[in-house]
């Protein structure tokens, strides 16, 4: 999609966990920076995005249902359907084979490229951007906070302190979907917390695939108990939840 006079109305749906929600906020921040405007209904959109989940069977069914709703809304129009997130990462081949009406499939390591991928010329077959998950956003990454209350203010926000997981539990698919653990540095997290506080956020909800292993991968002695007092010192932050 070009960035000229072409309309950029965006419908965006997020499924699954708060970590997926932060990924959606990163995508929304990038898209807003390129002129996309949110609409409440897929019928009113030019681009329809669903950020999916596939952790358990019920979430897979929910993701498929959501994809098909967007595909049905696309029928007979020039709309574009984008499938992102864990279901996309796990089942990209099946999406291409069985739901060819999807225009773009974005994995958990490529979601930050959504505007770049949407700017590419449209193809007859779905465009697939699935790679080894490595990405984690930082303070400089555009992000649209979606935890707003009735007054339109964001008093609470999620702070993703790490991405992925390096544990190999036999019952869990997360390392395959999200990659190995990648912790963010304390200075970067403090900087983002200051940004959030400046926006009116008073409560932080720290999230990661494995909070208790925060910092282990940095191999510099950083641990969760080092991060918490640094965040608590940020003016304006009154509550921190884990």
């Amino acid at each position: 999609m070009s960035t000229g006079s072409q309309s950029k109305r965006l419908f965006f749906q997020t499924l699954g966990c708060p970590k997926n929600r932060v990924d959606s906020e990163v995508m929304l921040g990038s898209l807003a920076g390129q002129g996309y405007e949110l609409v409440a209904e897929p019928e009113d959109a030019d681009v329809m995005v669903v950020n999916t989940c596939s952790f358990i069977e019920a979430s897979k069914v929910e993701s498929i249902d959501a994809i098909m709703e967007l595909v049905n809304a696309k029928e007979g129009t020039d709309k574009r359907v984008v499938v992102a997130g864990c279901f996309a990462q796990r089942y990209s081949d099946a999406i291409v084979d069985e739901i060819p009406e999807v225009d773009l499939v974005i994995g958990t390591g490529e979601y930050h490229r959504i505007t770049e991928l949407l700017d590419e010329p449209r193809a007859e077959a779905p465009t697939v951007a699935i790679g080894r998950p490595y990405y984690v956003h930082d303070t400089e990454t555009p992000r649209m906070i979606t935890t707003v209350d009735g007054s339109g203010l964001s008093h609470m926000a999620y702070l993703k302190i790490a991405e992925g997981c390096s544990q190999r539990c036999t019952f869990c698919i997360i390392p395959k979907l999200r990659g190995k653990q990648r912790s963010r540095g304390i200075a970067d997290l403090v900087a983002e917390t200051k940004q959030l506080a400046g926006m009116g956020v008073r409560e932080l909800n720290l999230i990661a695939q494995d909070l208790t292993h925060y910092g282990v991968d940095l191999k510099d002695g950083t641990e969760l108990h080092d991060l918490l007092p640094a965040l608590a010192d940020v003016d304006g932050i009154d509550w921190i939840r884990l």
Side-chain angles (χ1 to χ4, degrees):
M1 178 174 288
S2 70
T3 56
S5 59
Q6 201 164 6
S7 182
K8 293 184 176 183
R9 295 168 299 176
L10 173 70
F11 173 81
F12 205 109
Q13 181 179 9
T14 301
L15 307 177
C17 66
K19 296 172 286 294
N20 217 34
R21 182 168 187 159
V22 172
D23 296 348
S24 291
E25 292 178 339
V26 169
M27 285 189 274
L28 285 166
S30 176
L31 290 164
Q34 294 300 313
Y36 286 83
E37 297 182 3
L38 279 173
V39 295
E41 301 296 335
E43 291 77 13
D44 299 326
D46 304 296
V47 176
M48 303 175 291
V49 183
V50 57
N51 193 13
T52 58
C53 179
S54 68
F55 186 59
I56 59 176
E57 187 64 28
S59 63
K60 289 189 286 186
V61 172
E62 183 183 27
S63 292
I64 294 170
D65 289 345
I67 295 169
M68 296 312 300
E69 285 182 12
L70 299 189
V71 166
N72 290 336
K74 174 186 175 179
E75 186 175 4
T77 73
D78 197 37
K79 300 177 187 293
R80 302 178 77 176
V81 175
V82 180
V83 179
C86 289
F87 187 87
Q89 182 75 23
R90 189 175 183 181
Y91 297 111
S92 60
D93 290 343
I95 294 171
V96 172
D97 291 341
E98 300 179 27
I99 319 177
E101 297 88 350
V102 170
D103 297 280
L104 177 57
V105 183
I106 307 178
T108 56
E110 308 291 333
Y111 63 90
H112 59 295
R113 298 176 54 219
I114 187 169
T115 54
E116 167 196 338
L117 294 165
L118 282 172
D119 280 340
E120 294 180 356
R122 298 183 71 159
E124 291 185 8
T127 298
V128 178
I130 302 291
R132 187 174 182 178
Y134 69 93
Y135 179 75
V136 60
H137 79 277
D138 59 26
T139 308
E140 302 301 319
T141 307
R143 180 181 170 196
M144 179 187 294
I145 305 302
T146 60
T147 48
V148 295
D149 59 22
S151 63
L153 299 175
S154 303
H155 296 299
M156 187 280 284
Y158 294 106
L159 183 67
K160 185 190 281 191
I161 67 173
E163 178 58 278
C165 183
S166 296
Q167 308 302 318
R168 295 294 175 184
C169 304
T170 56
F171 59 84
C172 184
I173 193 71
I174 290 298
K176 291 184 179 180
L177 298 180
R178 291 280 178 171
K180 293 182 179 180
Q181 178 162 316
R182 288 133 19 233
S183 299
R184 297 172 60 188
I186 290 178
D188 183 45
L189 290 166
V190 168
E192 185 173 5
T193 299
K194 290 179 178 178
Q195 290 179 353
L196 294 171
M199 297 165 55
V201 170
R202 294 295 173 261
E203 178 182 329
L204 288 180
N205 196 323
L206 272 54
I207 55 174
Q209 300 295 341
D210 190 345
L211 279 175
T212 58
H213 277 74
Y214 167 76
V216 172
D217 56 298
L218 298 177
K219 302 185 185 303
D220 61 0
T222 299
E223 296 185 21
L224 187 61
H225 70 250
D226 302 311
L227 174 64
L228 293 176
L231 298 180
D233 283 342
V234 175
D235 289 340
I237 299 299
D238 299 319
W239 298 278
I240 298 177
R241 301 182 188 275
L242 287 77

